Amino acid sequence: GFENLILLAHAMARTLVLPPKRQIFHMADKSAGRVFSLDDFYDIDVINKVQMGLNIITMEEFLKREALSGNLKSLETGESAYPPSNRTQWDNQRLNPLWNYLRKVTKSFEIWEPTQCVMAFPAVGSDIRSVAALMHNILVGADGRTFPRPNDFQGAPTRVDAPPTERLREILAERRKICMYDDNMHANYSVVHFKAEEDGTRLITDFYTFLYFEGESQYTSTIHFN
């Protein structure tokens, strides 16, 4: 999941905000009540320094910088909205109030479900037509081939430098939808929130099964980034 979020933040040219620290249920016996952050498992400082184009901050930093300054607006009224009790420190707290607040002031994409769609980035940010055309041609079998199945690529992986159509055929894995991210979406939503529910959407999947980059250079740079 974290791998996908890092790559999404980099591909979208957005700052990645880490969730607050909290106890981890499966580590409760050994940790004796200790709270953890992703910084305990990944060297965030090093990632920030060595990966150009990536910026990672804590939830506290984000709320102080964006929420308390009034930059976060209610999606319903357009007026500045502030976190519950103006709190910015949420480590090891009940997080439902924070999540509910964020979902009122940020854009959530519930349709971005890895089991249902492939997340696609056009080679040219504002031109979604080319990727849409690729998908349409695969769906209707424009080249005479049937819709691709995972078994088609067992022992016969697609080359990294293969044409965009071939790379898209491989990553689809029986999914028949693409979720698109383009310049218009980037301009219209200053903050994007990825919801993670136990009984709903969760980005727990390998990046190469979910993220599709039409441009070959985009794709190879992502592999090298990872």
Side-chain angles (χ1 to χ4, degrees):
F2 188 53
E3 175 187 71
N4 270 314
L5 292 176
I6 285 181
L7 292 174
L8 280 169
H10 187 261
M12 294 176 176
R14 292 179 179 270
T15 295
L16 177 62
V17 180
L18 299 178
K21 295 181 180 181
R22 62 182 306 173
Q23 291 183 337
I24 298 179
F25 176 75
H26 296 293
M27 299 177 66
D29 293 338
K30 297 180 180 180
S31 62
R34 179 185 171 191
V35 295
F36 294 88
S37 72
L38 288 170
D39 203 15
D40 290 301
F41 305 97
Y42 304 92
D43 196 331
I44 302 299
D45 287 338
V46 170
I47 295 174
N48 256 335
K49 290 177 182 177
V50 303
Q51 298 292 356
M52 294 184 62
L54 180 66
N55 185 35
I56 304 175
I57 63 174
T58 65
M59 180 64 71
E60 185 175 7
E61 290 178 89
F62 170 73
L63 293 175
K64 286 181 177 179
R65 189 175 75 188
E66 300 296 334
L68 295 190
S69 63
N71 288 338
L72 299 185
K73 313 289 186 181
S74 167
L75 296 181
E76 292 185 1
T77 67
E79 298 179 353
S80 296
Y82 301 89
S85 303
N86 282 342
R87 174 184 284 179
T88 60
Q89 172 56 262
W90 289 84
D91 289 351
N92 207 30
Q93 301 294 316
R94 181 172 172 269
L95 295 179
N96 282 345
L98 174 62
W99 300 148
N100 290 336
Y101 162 71
L102 289 175
R103 290 166 188 175
K104 292 178 180 178
V105 297
T106 65
K107 178 63 177 177
S108 295
F109 294 96
E110 291 84 355
I111 61 172
W112 289 358
E113 166 56 64
T115 63
Q116 303 297 321
C117 74
V118 168
M119 183 72 195
F121 291 85
V124 179
S126 60
D127 187 6
I128 65 174
R129 295 171 298 178
S130 57
V131 177
L134 291 176
M135 186 65 182
H136 172 76
N137 289 338
I138 292 173
L139 287 171
V140 302
D143 60 2
R145 290 184 287 179
T146 59
F147 192 81
R149 299 175 301 171
N151 288 342
D152 296 341
F153 305 95
Q154 292 293 329
T158 301
R159 291 175 54 90
V160 171
D161 59 354
T165 299
E166 301 308 313
R167 291 190 286 105
L168 181 57
R169 286 181 63 87
E170 181 181 42
I171 198 174
L172 284 174
E174 297 185 336
R175 289 167 290 188
R176 294 176 178 267
K177 293 194 300 182
I178 51 176
C179 308
M180 198 80 73
Y181 187 82
D182 60 17
D183 284 351
N184 291 329
M185 190 176 294
H186 186 81
N188 290 334
Y189 304 111
S190 60
V191 183
V192 173
H193 174 57
F194 283 90
K195 298 171 64 174
E197 309 284 4
E198 291 185 4
D199 57 350
T201 299
R202 304 180 74 184
L203 293 179
I204 301 179
T205 186
D206 296 314
F207 81 92
Y208 49 80
T209 67
F210 180 51
L211 304 181
Y212 170 77
F213 297 91
E214 181 188 15
E216 182 184 328
S217 61
Q218 293 172 301
Y219 178 52
T220 54
S221 65
T222 299
I223 295 175
H224 294 153
F225 179 100
N226 188 60

